Amino acid sequence: GGVPTAVQAADTGSKTALQGGFKVMQGAASTQDSGSRRTITRGATLDNSQFEGEKLDGISFQQSLCRDCNFKGSSLKGASFFDGDLTQANFENADISQVNFEMACMKDANLKNAVVNEAYILATTKLDGINIEGADFTDTFLRKDQQRYLCSRASGTNSKTGVDTRDSLQCQNVKDLSKK
């Protein structure tokens, strides 16, 4: 195999080296968009990678394997994990606002005290066994069965935003929490 290379989304040529010699290329799509990064790591195997405390806003991890990855305390605003495997990934204290988790497997992932505002979680997102203690899901739209499942697991208050997890999930609107 070998390690897949990142596809550069622009022409700035700046690079950041990550675990295992994997390169993340970054840049802006146009001169008007020079403040944002659009990095593509499609289909990369990043299992067990350490990204603790990193600023990874806007990075695309779509279709990547990030099992047991450590994103603790990282900023991942606007990142994409579309169709990725995040089994047992650690997002504790991370900012995962506006992140795309469509079709992602988040089985047994740790979102303890994470800020998950306006995240993109669809019916195809697998949430089995997820830890959401203290997570803030403000303005994250969920399907009713996902909302019911997360409310059955919800506890705590986010230390950064001060928002109660159950309130952020609008658990008061869930009719019957005994059904899972």
Side-chain angles (χ1 to χ4, degrees), residues 7-158:
V7 176
Q8 188 170 2
D11 56 5
T12 60
S14 59
K15 297 177 186 176
T16 304
L18 295 175
Q19 296 301 111
F22 182 78
K23 300 272 188 239
V24 170
M25 316 269 263
Q26 60 195 37
S30 72
T31 52
Q32 286 89 19
D33 195 28
S34 61
S36 69
R37 300 187 331 187
R38 290 290 171 259
T39 304
I40 301 164
T41 62
R42 173 170 289 169
T45 300
L46 301 169
D47 290 351
N48 302 303
S49 290
Q50 298 298 314
F51 297 105
E52 185 168 350
E54 297 286 332
K55 187 164 178 51
L56 301 167
D57 297 341
I59 300 231
S60 174
F61 293 93
Q62 61 191 42
Q63 297 175 324
S64 292
L65 302 177
C66 288
R67 295 170 294 218
D68 292 304
C69 281
N70 183 6
F71 293 99
K72 187 174 183 178
S74 292
S75 179
L76 290 149
K77 285 185 233 154
S80 176
F81 289 96
F82 175 87
D83 198 20
D85 189 346
L86 298 166
T87 301
Q88 295 183 322
N90 184 1
F91 291 98
E92 186 171 341
N93 294 315
D95 187 343
I96 47 179
S97 297
Q98 299 174 340
V99 169
N100 181 357
F101 290 112
E102 181 180 1
M103 293 178 66
C105 177
M106 299 182 76
K107 186 177 187 316
D108 299 322
N110 179 10
L111 272 63
K112 185 176 181 178
N113 208 46
V115 178
V116 201
N117 297 348
E118 298 176 34
Y120 197 60
I121 296 175
L122 289 183
T124 52
T125 307
K126 293 176 186 64
L127 302 169
D128 309 2
I130 196 165
N131 176 1
I132 59 166
E133 181 188 340
D136 178 355
F137 286 90
T138 300
D139 296 327
T140 293
F141 178 80
L142 297 163
R143 208 172 63 182
K144 293 290 179 212
D145 61 317
Q146 290 174 316
Q147 180 187 25
R148 187 181 307 117
Y149 176 73
L150 291 178
C151 284
S152 75
R153 305 180 66 81
S155 67
T157 301
N158 189 282

